[in-house]
Amino acid sequence: MFGDVYAGRRVFVTGHTGFKGSWLTLWLLDLGADVTGYALAPPTEPSLFEAASIGAAEAGRPKGTGRFTDLRADVRERLALGQALEMAAPEIIFHLAAQPLVRRSYAEPHLTYETNVMGTVNLLEEVRALAASGRGPRAVVNVTSDKCYENAETGHAYVEGDPLGGFDPYSSSKGCSEFVSAAYRRSFFAKPEAPGLATARSGNVIGGGDWGEDRIVPDCARALSAGAIIDVRNPAAVRPWQHVLEPLSGYLSLGATLWRSVADAGDEAKQFAGAWNFGPRRDAVVTVREVVELFIDAWGGGEWRPALGTAQQPHEAGLLVLDAGKAERELGWRASWSVVDAVSAAARWYAEFYRGAGPDALLTHCRADIAAYCDAAARSGAVWAASEVPT
Ligand SMILES: NC(=O)c1ccc[n+]([C@@H]2O[C@H](COP(=O)([O-])OP(=O)(O)OC[C@H]3O[C@@H](n4cnc5c(N)ncnc54)[C@H](O)[C@@H]3O)[C@@H](O)[C@H]2O)c1
């Protein structure tokens, strides 16, 4: 998979203790990468990182899988970040550390901008310094969001060249992170020996091990496991839904392609250094109510009701759909799971957790999900192997 680019590769992941970061770290380790994670403590209790012992999983990992270094530090601290990068000497970087919640961004805009914007600046500054000394990475993937687009709420599917914006502080911070990346790419990373820098935009994801606030699938799991009725804020709202493994396969595909193309082709590689959408399948754009009902079916029973007090909620952006045509055409990536596949996989994971499964069982479950996803991707015609992508 991914043209074997990750086997034995030194990879730096910021935000590895988070929901997406934990899945990505596990996947990279199983691909044989030597991963250094840099993040604060897991942001929720429980968390996938702790529940599945992602950090301690090395001992039980199959032969041939990679090594893991777990660093706990802040992306706002440039010195610490620089020292970690110096020590890890990564060949590929995935930047996921962020304050990722829209509602929290209304309460803590300064923290959100400091983390999401200056955290990105700090990372790229340190990458620039490493590159100047000839020890820089070859590929950097900055994970932003579909919310970086100026959402005109017209139902138009956004392509990478559409205007950026963002109504709330979180969305705008991700737009800013895009602008920062574009400026560094043009100003400092245009030379052949500089890293290929790409940004990856995807929407809300679901999957086992997310306990983020104000996310409907974790809300379903929390309520049903407690025998409670699920309170649903906006049942009629139509949203794109995607399993976490979908964008992660996109980030891995992008990282592999950037790495290989920089290695093979020098400045030709810069064709992959840019922005990429990793959106769900068209049939995965459905109402919140449908997702809740699918979750209840997969769980084996339960009830939901419209939540009270929705009039006082902060502004929530309307439907935003991504056009992932560029990733399909140029990376061979495609969204492979239907909304039923995605919701059922998530529900099965949470059911196992709430039945009391321990770290080994949950890790095995995560690996089985990754294997099932890879099978579906192969059936859907996803290419993924960087070697097959024309440069
Ligand atoms: N989950 C989604 O639906 C979604 C959708 C689009 C984009 N994203 C983006 O994907 C990335 C990961 O999201 P997630 O859902 O896994 O979030 P998460 O909250 O589960 O994880 C965030 C990670 O960032 C770390 N972090 C936060 N502040 C930090 C700081 N100051 N210094 C160092 N580390 C810090 C946390 O410790 C954690 O490891 C984020 O950049 C987010 O904006 C997420």
Side-chain angles (χ1 to χ4, degrees):
M1 273 191 304
F2 309 112
D4 285 339
V5 162
Y6 293 104
R9 195 72 52 216
R10 293 185 306 278
V11 181
F12 194 86
V13 177
T14 72
H16 67 287
T17 59
F19 168 53
K20 282 168 120 176
S22 295
W23 278 100
L24 180 62
T25 299
L26 176 65
W27 200 343
L28 279 166
L29 288 167
D30 284 355
L31 289 168
D34 288 345
V35 179
T36 300
Y38 183 100
L40 298 178
T44 57
E45 170 57 50
S47 69
L48 174 59
F49 192 80
E50 298 289 353
S53 280
I54 302 286
E58 203 173 337
R61 202 164 280 135
K63 202 163 171 282
T65 58
R67 286 172 301 170
F68 180 50
T69 307
D70 180 358
L71 301 178
R72 300 300 170 87
D74 200 314
V75 288
R76 293 169 297 172
E77 288 174 18
R78 191 177 147 196
L79 194 63
L81 185 54
Q83 285 167 347
L85 285 164
E86 180 83 28
M87 188 198 79
E91 296 162 281
I92 302 176
I93 298 177
F94 293 97
H95 179 44
L96 282 81
Q99 190 302 94
L101 304 170
V102 171
R103 286 183 163 219
R104 186 171 172 204
S105 82
Y106 281 112
E108 298 185 85
H110 186 274
L111 172 102
T112 303
Y113 283 110
E114 221 182 1
T115 307
N116 298 1
V117 187
M118 287 315 292
T120 305
V121 173
N122 288 342
L123 178 81
L124 296 182
E125 271 301 280
E126 293 307 320
V127 165
R128 185 162 85 93
L130 272 183
S133 67
R135 289 171 300 118
R138 258 189 213 160
V140 180
V141 176
N142 178 21
V143 172
T144 66
S145 169
D146 62 352
K147 293 191 169 60
C148 70
Y149 289 108
E150 183 60 36
N151 186 2
E153 303 193 11
T154 57
H156 152 83
Y158 288 83
V159 293
E160 286 80 353
D162 279 332
L164 303 182
F167 185 99
D168 57 87
Y170 168 72
S171 305
S172 117
S173 76
K174 286 292 178 175
C176 293
S177 181
E178 286 281 346
F179 283 127
V180 167
S181 302
Y184 270 75
R185 190 184 302 122
R186 287 189 293 248
S187 309
F188 308 117
F189 297 158
K191 297 191 191 106
E193 65 275 16
L197 167 61
T199 56
R201 304 166 179 174
S202 62
N204 285 346
V205 288
I206 61 175
D210 184 13
W211 279 280
E213 291 164 40
D214 301 321
R215 291 182 180 164
I216 186 62
V217 167
D219 286 350
C220 290
R222 274 185 285 254
L224 296 185
S225 65
I229 299 175
I230 308 164
D231 286 314
V232 182
R233 257 192 293 133
N234 289 313
V238 178
R239 299 270 181 258
W241 305 90
Q242 204 174 26
H243 193 271
V244 61
L245 295 174
E246 300 267 24
L248 294 187
S249 68
Y251 307 161
L252 287 167
S253 175
L254 180 55
T257 304
L258 270 175
W259 189 89
R260 172 151 283 162
S261 57
V262 174
D264 291 349
D267 56 331
E268 295 289 311
K270 300 302 188 241
Q271 84 180 85
F272 296 107
W276 299 84
N277 286 343
F278 296 104
R281 288 171 19 167
R282 288 296 161 98
D283 61 4
V285 182
V286 303
T287 61
V288 174
R289 178 193 179 127
E290 281 171 88
V291 164
V292 171
E293 287 173 349
L294 283 172
F295 194 97
I296 289 172
D297 277 354
W299 188 272
E303 285 177 74
W304 71 273
R305 65 186 170 206
L308 298 172
T310 45
Q312 285 163 22
Q313 305 302 327
H315 173 271
E316 241 181 79
L319 178 63
L320 198 159
V321 181
L322 292 178
D323 179 330
K326 179 183 169 191
E328 284 197 24
R329 287 187 304 275
E330 298 182 34
L331 297 176
W333 176 88
R334 70 188 58 216
S336 302
W337 265 356
S338 68
V339 68
V340 179
D341 298 328
V343 177
S344 329
R348 282 194 300 270
W349 196 100
Y350 285 110
E352 183 155 7
F353 173 84
Y354 283 109
R355 273 198 302 270
D360 289 349
L362 293 173
L363 208 57
T364 303
H365 196 125
C366 290
R367 289 192 167 118
D369 277 354
I370 292 174
Y373 179 74
C374 292
D375 281 350
R379 281 197 305 277
S380 78
V383 178
W384 280 6
S387 55
E388 294 178 43
V389 174
T391 54

